[in-house]
Amino acid sequence: MWIKQIEYDGGLDYKGKIIFDRKSIISSKYNKKGKSTLLRVILYALGFEVVRTNGIANLDLKTNIKILTDDLEEIQIFRNNEKVILEESSSDKKRELHLPEDREVLHSTFFDFNNGKLLENFLGTFYFEQGRGYSLINNGVVTPKNRFNLKELVTQLVPEVEEKLKEIEKKEITIRRSKTAINAINAVLKDNDNSIEEDNQDEITIQNINSLKFKLKQLKRKKRTILESIEDNNKLLEYIGKLKLRLRLSDESVVIVTSDKIEGMENISNYLISEKTVVNNQIKETKQLIYKNEEAIKKKYTNRDIAKFSIPQAFNFEKNKAMLKYLNKQDEELALQKKELLRKNSYQELQDRIYKLYTEYASELNISNWLKNGIFSSKNISGLTGTEQEFTAISIRLAALKLIEEFTKVNLPIILDSPFQELDTKNKKLLVDFLENEFSEKHQFIITSVNKEIPNDIYNHWQIITLD
């Protein structure tokens, strides 16, 4: 796949047109000239959900991107917010799509692959966001709106394993629902030894209440996690302020490093705050639904017979206890089936293959084989130097990209935001040589960098796009 051209128009002064070669560097003399923003515009044009920051935050952004697929078909995509117009060279017709519901249809058109869940993981294999993108190894946030999970990706490449996993997960869901219902019945039986009249609607209401209470517990746990992240973020900002670091710029001026000068920090804070608002609203709505259901029951029954909900008389504690024991045993058997399924056949072959690719790439980049516990482990990854962590992230995620190429014949572009920032001259050359040796034959490169960080020997055979 080759991103040939993009036109963008956000009104005001934010508009432009760029034509890309197979190997392109988007450069500027200084930072904060819109390089990272342009990459987000490209992802936006491709139908991904991105956080609009800095120069595009409040713009009515319109894009027109041209793509050449691996089958040499030209595809043109016009996007204006949620509306997308798709044109294919093989057809005279235009298709109108709407995001996010048609995102899978759009991506399957130019990625030429129909597995929706796998498509969700594609972005993490070819896009490395500045900063956090080089610490994401095998599971985590690609952008605030997109996640990456290597284990899921490997599973999704094996259709027969994925289908069997779906069957197991359906059974697990059925068992969980049954256990919830039985526990709800036990709660009623515990407070009521009298005869119980049958009323199916009441039984459904009780199950709804228990399901909502479980959901409320999960939402409160999520809120605690978000609040902890906000607190950690604030502590980091406070610590940076106390350090009073000073940086000497290329023009010899000196600036004090403050939290407002750290790119992306405000975006993370805003994202966490918006997530907290969303979860608070969900908690409020869930509480209202619980209250509504409980009130419906209270209105139907007097205080004396409020526990006489619709449970067949055949139910009792002993039978329920036996049923729960049986369901727990079924749950354990399904867990073993899942574990065994992921340990053999083509899934294991894929796991072995990606680990082999990773070790080869790590060797080429002169870093130790850090994921000794397996490709899904990130143990002690924080103990690496900046260069080691960046090269480990590149090794494992580009190994995933190579795996996709081998098993789906899809050749994804490789988009790296400021990869040279933390590297010395030797490691910059090492990274460029690695990319060209392993991926230049089938993959397009789009890289951002300030001028002074671009390796000297790149200028002769890479396209340089200057934003100054």
Side-chain angles (χ1 to χ4, degrees):
M1 173 183 159
W2 175 12
I3 299 170
K4 294 184 66 178
Q5 175 183 305
I6 185 168
E7 294 181 66
Y8 52 94
D9 185 353
L12 302 176
D13 295 326
Y14 193 75
K15 56 184 66 177
K17 175 181 177 180
I18 295 176
I19 299 172
F20 294 100
D21 284 351
R22 296 289 292 188
K23 297 188 291 186
S24 303
I25 289 188
I26 301 168
S27 71
S28 64
K29 188 174 182 179
Y30 303 112
N31 282 317
K32 295 188 179 295
K33 294 296 182 179
K35 300 184 296 298
S36 298
T37 299
L38 180 57
L39 294 187
R40 294 189 191 105
V41 170
I42 291 171
L43 296 181
Y44 167 88
L46 291 173
F48 288 100
E49 189 175 6
V50 297
V51 176
R52 296 201 191 185
T53 57
N54 302 330
I56 59 172
N58 301 310
L59 300 181
D60 180 21
L61 187 60
K62 303 177 182 67
T63 57
N64 173 12
I65 193 166
K66 290 182 180 178
I67 300 166
L68 189 68
T69 69
D70 294 326
D71 296 327
L72 301 181
E73 179 178 15
E74 188 167 281
I75 294 175
Q76 196 162 357
I77 304 165
F78 301 87
R79 180 175 180 184
N80 183 6
N81 294 315
E82 289 78 24
K83 183 180 177 181
V84 172
I85 303 297
L86 185 64
E87 289 185 15
E88 300 171 68
S89 59
S90 60
S91 172
D92 295 331
K93 295 181 180 179
K94 295 181 181 180
R95 280 196 288 169
E96 182 173 324
L97 305 174
H98 293 271
L99 302 176
E101 55 266 32
D102 292 329
R103 185 170 287 119
E104 184 179 335
V105 176
L106 175 64
H107 286 171
S108 63
T109 303
F110 55 82
F111 287 136
D112 196 24
F113 197 75
N114 294 318
N115 187 320
K117 285 189 176 181
L118 181 57
L119 287 169
E120 290 176 8
N121 265 313
F122 269 22
L123 187 62
T125 67
F126 72 82
Y127 173 64
F128 291 72
E129 189 176 53
Q130 183 178 3
R132 73 170 141 208
Y134 299 101
S135 60
L136 168 57
I137 307 298
N138 46 31
N139 182 23
V141 177
V142 184
T143 75
K145 298 286 187 178
N146 300 272
R147 293 190 64 83
F148 173 70
N149 187 305
L150 181 64
K151 191 170 186 177
E152 286 182 4
L153 184 146
V154 175
T155 303
Q156 290 151 6
L157 284 169
V158 190
E160 64 271 20
V161 170
E162 188 183 13
E163 286 304 312
K164 288 177 182 177
L165 281 177
K166 283 180 182 177
E167 291 175 14
I168 291 173
E169 286 166 2
K170 282 180 182 178
K171 291 177 182 177
E172 287 177 329
I173 290 170
T174 302
I175 288 173
R176 280 199 298 271
R177 287 175 177 169
S178 299
K179 288 162 72 172
T180 300
I182 290 173
N183 286 325
I185 291 167
N186 282 344
V188 175
L189 290 174
K190 185 177 180 181
D191 297 326
N192 185 73
D193 294 327
N194 302 322
S195 61
I196 300 172
E197 297 174 3
E198 191 167 338
D199 184 338
N200 289 334
Q201 187 56 47
D202 292 340
E203 185 176 346
I204 292 170
T205 304
I206 291 295
Q207 291 181 30
N208 284 343
I209 291 171
N210 280 278
S211 296
L212 287 166
K213 286 182 176 178
F214 178 77
K215 179 182 178 182
L216 182 61
K217 188 182 293 184
Q218 296 293 97
L219 287 169
K220 286 181 177 179
R221 187 179 291 121
K222 184 176 181 181
K223 182 180 177 179
R224 282 198 301 273
T225 302
I226 292 171
L227 291 173
E228 287 170 1
S229 298
I230 291 173
E231 185 180 355
D232 291 342
N233 209 40
N234 290 337
K235 285 181 180 177
L236 176 60
L237 294 176
E238 184 180 346
Y239 177 70
I240 291 170
K242 288 179 179 178
L243 288 176
K244 295 182 179 179
L245 296 174
R246 296 172 180 270
L247 289 180
R248 187 177 300 279
L249 303 181
S250 57
D251 59 0
E252 296 303 312
S253 62
V254 176
V255 296
I256 298 176
V257 178
T258 55
S259 58
D260 59 316
K261 291 187 173 70
I262 301 176
E263 186 169 353
M265 189 64 75
E266 185 180 352
N267 301 336
I268 295 170
S269 299
N270 291 339
Y271 172 71
L272 289 170
I273 292 168
S274 66
E275 282 292 288
K276 186 183 75 170
T277 303
V278 170
V279 172
N280 279 336
N281 290 335
Q282 290 173 337
I283 289 173
K284 183 179 179 182
E285 290 171 4
T286 306
K287 285 181 176 179
Q288 289 173 345
L289 286 171
I290 291 171
Y291 176 80
K292 183 179 178 181
N293 278 274
E294 288 180 338
E295 285 300 301
I297 291 293
K298 288 177 183 178
K299 285 179 181 178
K300 190 167 184 179
Y301 296 93
T302 64
N303 290 332
R304 182 174 54 82
D305 60 8
I306 195 168
K308 294 181 181 180
F309 301 134
S310 78
I311 304 160
Q313 292 186 31
F315 279 109
N316 60 59
F317 279 118
E318 290 305 314
K319 288 184 178 180
N320 287 355
K321 186 178 178 181
M323 178 59 73
L324 283 172
K325 185 177 180 181
Y326 168 75
L327 290 173
N328 286 331
K329 186 177 179 182
Q330 290 287 99
D331 229 353
E332 290 173 5
E333 289 178 0
L334 290 173
L336 287 173
Q337 287 178 31
K338 188 188 289 188
K339 189 175 180 180
E340 185 64 22
L341 185 63
L342 296 177
R343 196 162 47 195
K344 62 181 183 179
N345 301 330
S346 47
Y347 175 83
Q348 186 61 52
E349 292 175 15
L350 279 180
Q351 193 171 332
D352 292 343
R353 175 58 180 156
I354 195 171
Y355 189 77
K356 185 174 185 294
L357 287 167
Y358 157 66
T359 54
E360 288 175 1
Y361 294 168
S363 176
E364 284 189 55
L365 290 170
N366 288 343
I367 56 171
S368 60
N369 180 8
W370 198 257
L371 303 184
K372 293 176 182 177
N373 296 319
I375 56 172
F376 305 132
S377 169
S378 299
K379 188 176 181 181
N380 296 328
I381 210 73
S382 59
L384 298 173
T385 66
T387 298
E388 287 173 331
Q389 195 169 96
E390 176 174 338
F391 281 179
T392 299
I394 287 173
S395 297
I396 192 68
R397 286 163 61 194
L398 290 189
L401 179 137
K402 186 67 173 179
L403 198 71
I404 289 173
E405 175 195 328
E406 292 178 350
F407 282 81
T408 69
K409 309 306 178 188
V410 176
N411 299 311
L412 299 169
I414 295 173
I415 301 176
L416 307 178
D417 192 1
S418 301
F420 305 132
Q421 197 167 30
E422 301 295 329
L423 304 181
D424 58 24
T425 302
K426 178 184 175 182
N427 283 314
K428 287 176 190 177
K429 185 177 187 310
L430 191 65
L431 175 59
V432 172
D433 289 346
F434 163 71
L435 292 172
E436 291 187 326
N437 292 339
E438 292 291 343
F439 298 100
S440 62
E441 184 179 344
K442 296 182 178 179
H443 300 269
Q444 179 186 21
F445 301 129
I446 298 177
I447 293 176
T448 67
S449 177
V450 292
N451 295 345
K452 63 182 180 181
E453 292 172 357
I454 299 174
N456 292 328
D457 55 351
I458 245 180
Y459 284 93
N460 295 329
H461 55 290
W462 283 59
Q463 175 196 24
I464 308 295
I465 300 166
T466 304
L467 295 187
D468 291 320

